[in-house]
Structures are given as C-alpha cells and as structure tokens.
Amino acid sequence: VLLIRFRADSTVLIPATGGTYIEGSVGSFQPLNPWFTIENDVNRDLVSLIFAGLLKYNPQTKKIESDLATYKVSSDGRLYTVTLKDRLFWHDSTPQKPHPVTADDVYFTFKTIQDPDFPNSLLRQNFRGVTITKIDSRTVEFALDTPYGFFPSNLTLGILPKASFEKIPVKLLDQTLDFGFKPIGCGPYKVKTVTETELSTEITLERFERDMKPEYHLDRIVFRIFSD
C-alpha cells in the first residue's frame, strides 16, 4: 500500500509524442478560410488547427494571450502594437525556398477586411474606425478611434498569406476555392491530403514543426466527414 501511494504521489503524467487522432462528424466539408463564416464544428476545428492568429483565446485561463505575436496597449487603450515572434513560416515553406510570415501578411489580412468590397460585412464592422499601419517587417499598429476593451479578440483571427491572393479582386475573395480546399496557414497542423469517397470526405492533417510554444504532440489528425 505504501509503495502504491508513493508511486501515485511522485508520478507526473506527460503526453507522449506521436500517434494519430481520428474524428468522425456529420456535415459537409467547406472551403477553409478564416475570413468567412464557418457554419459547422468540424470546419471550425480545421481552421483553428491550420491557421493561427496574432493572439489566441486560452480556454483554461479564459484570457486572450499571445500566439504569433506579442502586443502592447497604450495607456489610453487606443493603440495596439503587435510584434511577430521570430522564425514563423507558412506551410508551403521549404529549406530551399523559405516563406516567412511577415508584417506584410498581417497588414494584408486586416487591411483587406476594411475594403468596401470585402464580402463579409459582419467581419468588416469589427475593424471600423481602426487605422492599420505597418511599422517594420515584424510590427503592425492598430489605432482605434475610441478605446474598446474587447478589441484583442479581433486579433485572434487567422492570418492569411498575402502571396496566395495577389491579383484576386477583393469582391471575389469568397470564391477562392483553390485556396479554400488546399489552404496554406501557419498553424500547428498543415493539410496533407483531402480524399473524397462515396461515403465521406477525409481530411488528413500532419504536425507542422514550429519554434514556439505550446508543443503539439500528435503526428496526425484525421477528420472524416459524413453526409448523414
């Protein structure tokens, strides 16, 4: 009894590395793009794993925390300065042709939302009265007309790569199906395959190595979406 109690008191459980998690759900596979409304849970889960925001919501602490960037708020609550962390790369990056995440991508993601032709009016309202300025290759400022305490939640939106949308009219961004079904993000998992069968659509994600916390331990996550 003493040995069992000693073992229980002195043992710490830690996650193992590797393995595959498989989840089945009912619905339809929709294009994956943080700019546009996700109508079902599985697509929402996919977006949260493939893309990453400047900030993120931590359900354990119930606070908005740093993700891709650190941020500072001015004393009057009107100026938010975000600075990207070091060594952030998009999923299509290779040693021969690296594709780093830069302030240009951040500026593009949020400035595009403010365009009058942007096809998601609800999201555009979140950035009304906000002046966005690129400071340098890693820093962007958001200046609010009036202080708004919940503004950091707007910065949890997944960042998009500017290079994937060049020469596409803003009013047609919700029709970029090539990107939506083969998305490029900078989140902890990237799309490996999308397989259509008579019964389901199977999306396989594989872990994307990033030099940042927290560590993600699963090698693969597989979503099988059934129509009924």
Side-chain angles (χ1 to χ4, degrees):
V1 172
L2 291 174
L3 286 173
I4 293 172
R5 183 175 297 173
F6 172 78
R7 183 179 184 276
D9 292 341
S10 60
T11 299
V12 177
L13 293 177
I14 60 173
T17 298
T20 300
Y21 169 78
I22 303 174
E23 177 177 310
S25 67
V26 176
S28 61
F29 178 48
Q30 301 170 356
L32 303 172
N33 189 322
W35 272 331
F36 304 106
T37 303
I38 305 299
E39 295 180 355
N40 60 56
D41 290 340
V42 68
N43 281 268
R44 191 178 295 110
D45 290 343
L46 283 162
V47 167
S48 70
L49 292 167
I50 296 167
F51 298 94
L54 298 171
L55 310 178
K56 64 182 178 182
Y57 174 73
N58 186 331
Q60 295 178 327
T61 63
K62 297 183 179 180
K63 294 181 179 179
I64 302 294
E65 301 175 354
S66 296
D67 194 3
L68 298 179
T70 58
Y71 76 107
K72 296 180 180 179
V73 186
S74 62
S75 58
D76 62 0
R78 292 182 56 251
L79 185 64
Y80 289 77
T81 304
V82 297
T83 303
L84 290 169
K85 296 177 181 178
D86 294 326
R87 294 188 54 76
L88 298 174
F89 296 94
W90 295 104
H91 292 163
D92 61 349
S93 185
T94 64
Q96 297 75 25
K97 192 176 181 181
H99 185 188
V101 180
T102 68
D104 286 332
D105 299 306
V106 176
Y107 181 83
F108 167 76
T109 297
F110 294 102
K111 194 66 178 176
T112 299
I113 294 171
Q114 294 182 318
D115 191 296
D117 290 332
F118 184 69
N120 185 344
S121 58
L122 291 176
L123 184 58
R124 190 169 64 244
Q125 289 179 4
N126 291 341
F127 294 92
R128 185 171 296 171
V130 179
T131 301
I132 306 171
T133 306
K134 174 188 168 184
I135 304 301
D136 56 39
S137 62
R138 292 175 53 211
T139 308
V140 175
E141 283 187 350
F142 298 84
L144 283 59
D145 285 345
T146 57
Y148 178 53
F150 293 102
F151 181 74
S153 64
N154 294 335
L155 302 184
T156 62
L157 180 76
I159 303 301
L160 290 155
K162 178 182 178 182
S164 295
F165 298 92
E166 291 183 331
K167 298 182 180 180
I168 298 177
V170 172
K171 64 182 179 181
L172 299 179
L173 287 175
D174 59 343
Q175 301 176 35
T176 52
L177 300 183
D178 288 346
F179 179 88
F181 289 118
K182 294 182 179 180
I184 297 170
C186 55
Y189 288 88
K190 66 178 181 179
V191 176
K192 183 179 182 181
T193 58
V194 177
T195 305
E196 296 274 358
T197 70
E198 292 183 1
L199 294 176
S200 66
T201 301
E202 182 171 294
I203 303 96
T204 300
L205 307 182
E206 63 181 5
R207 187 173 66 230
F208 181 64
E209 297 296 339
R210 305 190 301 173
D211 294 338
M212 59 183 293
K213 299 293 184 180
E215 295 180 20
Y216 289 78
H217 299 275
L218 287 168
D219 285 336
R220 287 167 299 278
I221 301 177
V222 180
F223 291 89
R224 291 177 181 157
I225 307 175
F226 300 87
S227 60
D228 59 40

